[in-house]
């Protein structure tokens, strides 16, 4: 149990026992005068000591005009005019309300911190032929670990022996277990289900997936949405104004009417103060946002703060990177067209040139080559992002890349035919042929674009690839606006142009895979990165991370964000509406102090339930 919850429970327990005793002593033991005051005061002190201490601490930070202040003012006032039982009763219900607040807050945090569950506790390091148990943080890159069935993967690693299935649910939301075999990556925090595997540590604990996700979750609460800040600013002005109004209620009517009304108006003024407590309003806003972040994380969508959740709900334009985002980024070789060398030689040179590149094109070409690469033959590698790579292979200068790259080098080449991405190759300044490769569109990319179109959200595609491929992919997906042949820095320029042309209230999202597009991810109002399990750059630069390579997760994220913002708006309107009604009733003397606080508690409960409901079942 959270500490706040425990503290509140103790205060309420002690307070209600003392309150009952006080009520009994008046009723059955005829306590009056000083004795009566004493027993009620005892209960009151038990209930308020914690709040007073809290206020004292806030006083030094110079903002103490909050709901606690209003409650104390009102109840002390009630004591002064002899309404002891009313004062203690109101305080008791106020504390029960605070308890509900603390419980729902800690529950919501816990549902997000389900991720705290991904913290691996121990690891088995292989030493010689035996193993030793160590802390995950003691592992170093290169160590070999043994992961038994049922165990949590301690750090990110590459399987070196055995096969198994892995439960990735906590990381990606994917319920179906994934099969892994030698050479494949396993991620810390996921669970080894079936087989015994050995794996080589690829990342130390602090840089492994589990730690990074936990860090993201922990910092999510610190970035506040505009509507959260609004609620806080609101109370800063609201409370002093309401206090003043309460005092006016006590003073004005009796001055204007007959003198014997003084006490009634005093009491009504105090009730007015209690009724004015802004407390259901304050809690429901951050609670709804935390709930939204939690709901998204259950689906494998990590949102780094309430502000991004709010921005996502206002996003009208979604700009997609093509390669690796809308397409799989797994290119299949369509044609190998050599010039003066054999097909095998062309493929070999290309694979060697791409030896150190992580670009999806490079990965696919290495796959197509299929043989191991002897990296001692490759020197002086330079990657020209948006163009291609250059390297010295067996002492010969090799350039590999697109037509722009060849143009830049002043190379003569015959333009490739057929739809696809042509990778041109030049050796020692002579054109040596091209390889035509083609990417595969992600199945659920289509669904995503259709959904966006149907909801009148704009989908735009940016790509560094050539126009023909770009148009082809866009047509298949149903994207209207396409910008091709962009360098990574052109993508930023293009994005900024979009941002300048949108309304103040509209936001723009960029969806990419983090390869060659981290600057764009960082620049967009909402940077959404796909496949956060792989790319470090993407995880850092993005505001929202889809842990799996599924663009359609964006649909879930958008729906949750809209649901959250709707819940927040409904809650604010409802809370303020109730407040106004209650204040009017208090003014005319229709509610007691306890009624006022119970009504507020009801408002809060309804808001809490509403948040859960709207977030869980968005339209
Ligand atoms: P996208 O916008 O489609 O994600 P990039 O900006 O990553 O594309 O790359 C743009 C183009 O630059 C690619 O289509 C390719 O022609 C060329 N290119 C980039 N990196 C490489 C590489 N390592 N090898 C060959 N060509 C490359
Ligand atoms: Mg890319």
């Amino acid at each position: 149990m959270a500490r706040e919850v425990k503290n509140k429970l103790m205060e309420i327990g002690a307070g209600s026992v003392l309150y009952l005793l006080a009520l009994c002593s008046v009723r059955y033991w005829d306590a009056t005068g000083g004795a009566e005051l004493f027993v009620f005061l005892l209960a009151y002190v038990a209930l308020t000591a914690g709040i007073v201490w809290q206020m004292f601490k806030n006083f030094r930070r110079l903002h103490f005009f909050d709901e606690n202040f209003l409650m104390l003012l009102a109840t002390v006032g009630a004591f002064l005019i002899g309404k002891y039982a009313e004062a203690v009763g109101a305080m008791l219900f106020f504390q029960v309300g605070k308890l509900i607040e603390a419980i729902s807050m800690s529950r919501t945090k816990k549902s997000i911190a389900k991720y705290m569950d991904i913290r691996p506790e121990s690891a088995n390091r292989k030493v010689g032929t035996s193993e030793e148990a160590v802390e995950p943080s003691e592992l170093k890159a290169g160590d070999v670990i043994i992961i038994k069935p049922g165990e949590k993967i301690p750090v990110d690693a590459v399987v070196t022996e055995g096969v198994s299935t892995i439960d990735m649910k906590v990381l990606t939301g994917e319920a179906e277990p994934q099969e892994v075999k030698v050479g494949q990556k396993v991620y810390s925090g996921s669970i080894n289900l079936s087989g015994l595997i050995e794996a080589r540590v690829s990342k130390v604990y602090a840089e492994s997936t589990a730690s990074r996700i936990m860090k993201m979750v922990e910092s999510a609460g610190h970035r506040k949405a505009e509507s959260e800040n609004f609620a806080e600013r609101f109370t800063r002005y609201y409370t002093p104004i309401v206090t003043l109004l309460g005092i006016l209620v006590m003073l004005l009517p009796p001055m204007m009417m007959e003198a014997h009304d003084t006490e009634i108006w005093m009491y009504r003024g105090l009730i007015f103060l209690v009724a004015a407590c802004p407390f259901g309003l304050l809690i429901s806003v951050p609670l709804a946002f935390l709930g939204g972040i939690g709901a998204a994380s259950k689906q494998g969508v990590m949102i780094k703060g309430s502000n991004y959740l709010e921005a996502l709900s206002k996003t009208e334009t979604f700009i997609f990177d093509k390669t690796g985002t809308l397409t799989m980024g797994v290119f299949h070789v369509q044609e190998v067209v050599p010039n003066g060398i054999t097909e095998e030689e062309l493929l070999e040179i290309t694979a060697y040139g791409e030896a150190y590149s992580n670009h999806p094109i490079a990965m696919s070409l290495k796959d197509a080559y299929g043989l191991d690469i002897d990296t001692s033959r490759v020197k002086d590698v330079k990657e020209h992002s948006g163009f291609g790579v250059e390297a010295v292979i067996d002492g010969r200068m090799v350039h590999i890349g697109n037509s722009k790259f060849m143009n830049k080098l002043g190379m003569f080449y015959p333009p490739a035919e057929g739809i696809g991405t042509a990778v041109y190759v030049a050796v020692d300044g002579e054109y040596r042929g091209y390889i035509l490769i083609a990417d595969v569109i992600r199945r659920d990319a289509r669904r995503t674009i259709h959904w966006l179109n149907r909801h009148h959200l704009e989908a735009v595609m940016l790509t560094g690839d050539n126009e023909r491929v770009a148009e082809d992919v866009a047509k298949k997906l149903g994207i209207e606006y396409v910008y091709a042949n962009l360098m990574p820095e052109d993508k930023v320029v293009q994005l900024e142009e979009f941002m300048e042309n949108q309304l103040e209230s509209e936001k723009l999202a960029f969806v990419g895979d983090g390869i060659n597009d981290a600057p764009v991810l960082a620049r967009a109002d909402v940077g959404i990165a796909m496949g956060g399990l792989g790319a470090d750059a993407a995880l850092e630069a993005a505001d929202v991370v889809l842990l799996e390579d599924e663009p359609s997760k964006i649909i879930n994220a958008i729906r949750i964000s809209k649901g959250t913002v709707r819940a927040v708006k409904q809650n604010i309107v409802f809370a303020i509406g109730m407040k106004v009604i209650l204040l009017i009733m208090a003014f005319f003397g229709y509610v007691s102090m306890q009624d006022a606080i119970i009504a507020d508690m009801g408002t809060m409960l309804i808001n809490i339930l509403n948040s859960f409901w709207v977030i869980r079942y968005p339209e």
Side-chain angles (χ1 to χ4, degrees), residues 321 323-324 359 491 513 515-517:
D321 186 40
T323 313
H359 196 279
K491 291 182 184 174
D513 61 354
I515 293 178
N516 283 355
D517 57 17

Side-chain angles (χ1 to χ4, degrees), residues 24 81 87 168 175 195 252 294 441 467 494 496 498 544 546 582 605:
C24 287
I81 59 168
M168 306 267 284
L252 277 189
I441 292 175
E467 254 144 43
Q494 194 59 248
E496 281 174 346
F498 270 108
V544 175
L546 313 179
L582 212 57
L605 270 178

Side-chain angles (χ1 to χ4, degrees), residues 337 403 412-418 422 424 431 434 436 468:
V337 186
S403 52
F412 177 77
Y413 64 96
E417 285 169 24
Y424 298 92
Y431 171 67
Y434 69 85
L436 191 70
R468 253 196 305 179

